């Protein structure tokens, strides 16, 4: 990954967000610091539409299931639901009490969930009806920390995951279409804070282990990426159809021309049962083989493998030093033993009985 396949030019200032269309092939959305959202057709490598309804930097973008609606949060403290092909704003909320940062569509439930900050600077989440953004359906305060809250929604299990930037925990909730709408379940705790999180697509999960979600956590203090698996404990070894319904697959449902022409289509679904592998109870036993030797010029090449790295060279050096020290000690002990035997032999020869 040293050369770009395609370079896109269109924004007058730097780009902060990019999102793929959920059902259409080669349609990409980008939001820049010029307050514009460009829609790119990668088949031609040019922008084909522009959404110019924002008055400040776009903070987040989210699509509904078929990609017919786009929701955005903006630095101007407004939440918008937009028809992406025309750029027309269908719904708009002025969030003065709940300053929105992130937004996510909740599948086909016609609901939006946002994370933000209350007027008392506490982190909170809000649930909205996508057809009426005049007031949130519910608001719930989370805590008084300052890091951004990242929402992740799993439409298959109706689970919402909340992870805060700089936090070490991930909270999860169950979303329902009836009151109380949002039910707290529990949370994952870790001492290492996260700077960001990525998500594995459903078709990459370990279905045999009942894994329903997998995060890739960026841990900056350790300079590593840590996988975190959400697993439903089940005793049965069979395929769990209730937690693995048909899910969006890898095949696009539309071509760019079809979507730009006004066609909407749900994603092409796939079953995860093909990726299920029943765990085997057989234990692999390592075969016992006789040790062979490859001797060249009196040196066993298998016993004297040259070091490949500097660490291997240092380990080999210290092992040789320990062996040399041990051999010197054995040699010194043998010298002492030899002198003792020589002295005993001399005394034996000089004794009167042997004269």
């Amino acid at each position: 990954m040293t050369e770009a396949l395609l370079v896109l030019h269109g924004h007058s200032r730097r780009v902060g967000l990019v999102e793929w269309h959920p059902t259409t092939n080669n349609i990409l959305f980008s939001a820049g610091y010029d307050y514009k959202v460009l829609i790119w057709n990668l088949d031609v490598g040019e922008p084909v539409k522009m959404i110019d309804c924002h008055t400040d930097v776009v903070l987040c973008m989210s699509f509904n299931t078929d990609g017919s609606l786009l929701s955005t949060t903006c630095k101007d403290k407004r939440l918008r639901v937009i028809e992406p092909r025309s750029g027309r704003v269908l719904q708009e909320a002025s969030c003065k009490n709940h300053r929105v940062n992130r937004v996510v569509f909740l599948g086909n439930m016609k609901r939006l969930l946002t994370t933000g900050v209350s007027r008392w600077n506490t982190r909170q989440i809000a649930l909205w009806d996508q057809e009426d953004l005049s007031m949130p359906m519910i608001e719930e305060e989370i805590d008084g920390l300052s890091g951004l809250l990242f929402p992740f929604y799993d439409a298959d299990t109706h689970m919402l995951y909340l992870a805060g930037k700089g936090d070490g925990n991930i909270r999860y909730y169950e979303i329902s279409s009836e009151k109380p709408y949002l039910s707290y379940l529990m949370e994952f705790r870790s001492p290492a804070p996260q700077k960001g999180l990525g998500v594995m697509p459903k078709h990459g999960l370990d279905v045999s282990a009942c894994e329903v979600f997998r995060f890739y956590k960026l841990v900056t203090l350790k300079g590593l990426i840590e996988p975190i698996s959400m697993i439903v404990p089940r005793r049965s070894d069979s395929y769990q159809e209730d937690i693995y319904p048909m899910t969006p697959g890898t095949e696009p449902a539309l071509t760019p021309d079809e979507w730009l022409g006004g066609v909407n289509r749900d994603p092409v679904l796939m079953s995860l049962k093909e990726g299920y592998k029943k765990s085997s109870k057989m234990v692999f036993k390592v075969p016992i083989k006789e040790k062979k030797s490859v001797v060249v010029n009196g040196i066993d090449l298998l016993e004297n493998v040259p070091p490949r790295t500097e660490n291997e060279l240092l380990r080999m050096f210290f092992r040789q030093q320990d062996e040399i020290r041990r051999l010197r000690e054995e040699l010194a002990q043998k010298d002492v033993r030899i002198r003792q035997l020589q002295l005993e032999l001399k005394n034996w020869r000089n004794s009167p009985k042997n004269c």
Side-chain angles (χ1 to χ4, degrees), residues 33-103:
Y33 279 67
D34 52 6
Y35 311 160
K36 294 178 176 58
V37 177
L38 295 183
I39 305 175
W40 304 83
N41 182 355
L42 301 189
D43 287 346
V44 297
E46 295 179 355
V48 290
K49 300 283 184 180
M50 182 178 68
I51 301 174
D52 191 14
C53 61
H54 300 90
T55 59
D56 211 325
V57 178
V58 179
L59 300 176
C60 184
M61 295 188 293
S62 178
F63 291 96
N64 64 344
T65 303
D66 61 2
S68 61
L69 296 177
L70 171 69
S71 179
T72 63
T73 59
C74 185
K75 209 170 181 180
D76 61 7
K77 303 177 184 179
R78 290 182 178 272
L79 171 66
R80 295 175 175 89
V81 175
I82 303 168
E83 203 290 314
R85 281 170 291 225
S86 64
R88 184 165 57 93
V89 179
L90 304 178
Q91 293 287 330
E92 184 173 337
S94 179
C95 307
K96 295 180 180 179
N97 297 331
H98 170 77
R99 299 195 301 274
V100 292
N101 288 319
R102 298 291 184 267
V103 62

